[in-house]
């Protein structure tokens, strides 16, 4: 599986990166795995040769009956998105250990198919295993079908939370907001002032943005329910009616929990999102809103405001039906 950087930084004159992106966006996963096979065949790194830490890295061999160590070397969102493949992996492997980012240990430990979770570090993992697979390579390694890629039901379980956790209530439509992202691609950042345009009667904003953002939260009229504990955050997300955010970890967490999630994409979005559609097979409860012009978020805000008015009206109608 190509990482985001590998997919976007193909060698000049080598069209496999472009072909792979096209295959993934089209849902032609058999073609994508063929391209991955070609990439692996061209790799100079040979199993059982070189440094010891490379000797058990997966090189295309079958995983049936093997003890598999799954490494999570990319972003938190990548780990969450590809955790869906841990269950089908366990159906063929004899044991699955996930070596993941410490922030996700509690979340990944509850995913079906996981026998053991270890926090990722710079040392050798203290566990016996036969083969070492990076989590973004899992769909290639198991030759995932469209049915295995497509999310049929939530595969993350929310944390239990605690008594001090915020609970939404009343008739207000509760919306979780996030606007900032990591350094990988800062084009994804959304101006928080955009959310002031979205405020409508009957709506309560809740900030789930990490970091020291108290002044921004005040200006957009939100209640801060953020937490660095992703397991607790998952429980808080499930108490909201909607989450609106850019392409970041929160989008994957919310949608993998089955929460209604609206994602704002910049004009040259990542390979995992379709080029034009507003839905994605990765997450059935996700809706995509994209820039038409690079850097211009205003039309995106207008589109979301209109969609939000329709959503609030629909929810109100459904609630009136239930009362009758």
């Amino acid at each position: 599986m190509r990482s985001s950087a590998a997919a976007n930084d193909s060698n000049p004159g080598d069209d496999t990166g472009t072909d792979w992106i096209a295959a993934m966006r089209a849902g032609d996963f058999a073609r994508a795995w063929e391209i991955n096979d070609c990439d692996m065949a061209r790799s100079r790194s040979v199993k059982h040769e070189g440094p010891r830490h490379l000797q058990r890295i997966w090189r295309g061999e079958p995983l049936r009956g093997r003890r598999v160590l799954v490494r999570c070397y990319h972003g938190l969102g990548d780990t969450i998105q590809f955790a869906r493949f841990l269950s089908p992996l366990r159906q063929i492997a004899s044991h699955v250990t996930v070596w993941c980012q410490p922030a996700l240990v509690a979340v990944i430990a509850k995913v079906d198919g996981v026998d053991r979770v270890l926090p990722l570090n710079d040392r050798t993992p203290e566990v016996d295993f036969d083969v070492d697979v990076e989590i973004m390579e899992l769909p290639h390694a198991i030759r995932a079908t469209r049915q295995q890629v497509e999310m049929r039901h939530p595969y993350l379980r929310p944390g239990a939370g605690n008594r001090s956790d915020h609970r939404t209530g009343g008739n207000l439509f509760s919306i979780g907001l996030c606007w900032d992202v990591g350094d990988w691609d800062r084009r994804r950042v959304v101006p928080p002032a955009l959310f002031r345009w979205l405020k409508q009667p009957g709506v309560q904003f809740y900030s789930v943005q990490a970091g020291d953002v108290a002044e921004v939260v005040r200006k957009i009229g939100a209640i801060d329910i953020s937490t660095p504990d992703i397991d607790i955050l998952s429980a808080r997300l499930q108490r909201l009616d909607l989450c609106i955010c850019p392409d970041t970890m929160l989008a994957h967490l919310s949608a993998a929990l089955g929460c209604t999630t609206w994602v704002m994409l910049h004009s040259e979005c990542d390979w995992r999102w379709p080029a034009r559609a507003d839905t994605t097979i990765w997450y059935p409860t996700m809706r995509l809103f994209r820039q038409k012009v690079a850097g211009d978020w205003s039309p995106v805000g207008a589109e979301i405001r209109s969609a939000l008015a329709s959503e609030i009206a629909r929810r109100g109608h459904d609630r009136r039906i239930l009362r009758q």
Side-chain angles (χ1 to χ4, degrees), residues 193-216:
L194 183 78
F195 295 121
R196 292 206 299 266
W197 305 347
L198 304 182
K199 198 64 179 288
Q200 302 179 30
V203 168
Q204 176 62 63
F205 286 161
Y206 296 91
S207 171
V208 287
Q209 176 65 58
D212 184 10
V213 293
E215 183 61 21
V216 176

Side-chain angles (χ1 to χ4, degrees), residues 201-275:
V203 168
Q204 176 62 63
F205 286 161
Y206 296 91
S207 171
V208 287
Q209 176 65 58
D212 184 10
V213 293
E215 183 61 21
V216 176
V217 171
R218 184 189 66 79
K219 286 182 178 180
I220 63 177
I223 297 172
D224 187 4
I225 60 169
S226 63
T227 171
D229 188 317
I230 296 177
D231 197 39
I232 293 176
L233 178 61
S234 68
R236 295 178 181 178
L237 289 173
Q238 282 219 320
R239 299 187 183 110
L240 300 171
D241 291 307
L242 171 65
C243 180
I244 303 177
C245 58
D247 176 11
T248 189
M249 181 276 292
L250 187 74
H252 294 283
L253 178 65
S254 177
L257 289 163
C259 303
T260 303
T261 309
W262 291 0
V263 179
M264 297 171 284
L265 300 175
H266 69 74
S267 60
E268 298 179 10
C269 62
D270 194 38
W271 58 264
R272 69 198 76 210
W273 311 121

Side-chain angles (χ1 to χ4, degrees), residues 119-141:
L120 190 67
N121 55 55
D122 294 331
R123 301 184 299 276
T124 301
E126 298 177 358
V127 62
D128 292 328
F129 61 96
D130 301 312
V131 62
D132 171 359
V133 184
E134 214 288 321
I135 194 165
M136 292 184 72
E137 292 181 318
L138 284 183
H140 176 210

Side-chain angles (χ1 to χ4, degrees), residues 197-200 242 244 262 287 289 298-314:
W197 305 347
L198 304 182
K199 198 64 179 288
Q200 302 179 30
L242 171 65
I244 303 177
W262 291 0
R287 181 171 174 180
F289 298 82
S298 296
V300 177
E303 185 180 358
I304 291 178
R305 181 176 175 82
S306 176
L308 183 57
S310 298
E311 183 72 7
I312 292 171
R314 183 187 67 80

Side-chain angles (χ1 to χ4, degrees), residues 57-78:
I57 288 180
W58 180 68
R59 291 285 181 261
E61 68 272 28
L63 299 180
R64 182 167 298 280
R66 311 293 283 174
R67 296 171 300 173
V68 181
L69 174 72
V70 179
R71 285 178 293 111
C72 305
Y73 278 180
H74 294 288
L76 298 177
D78 295 320

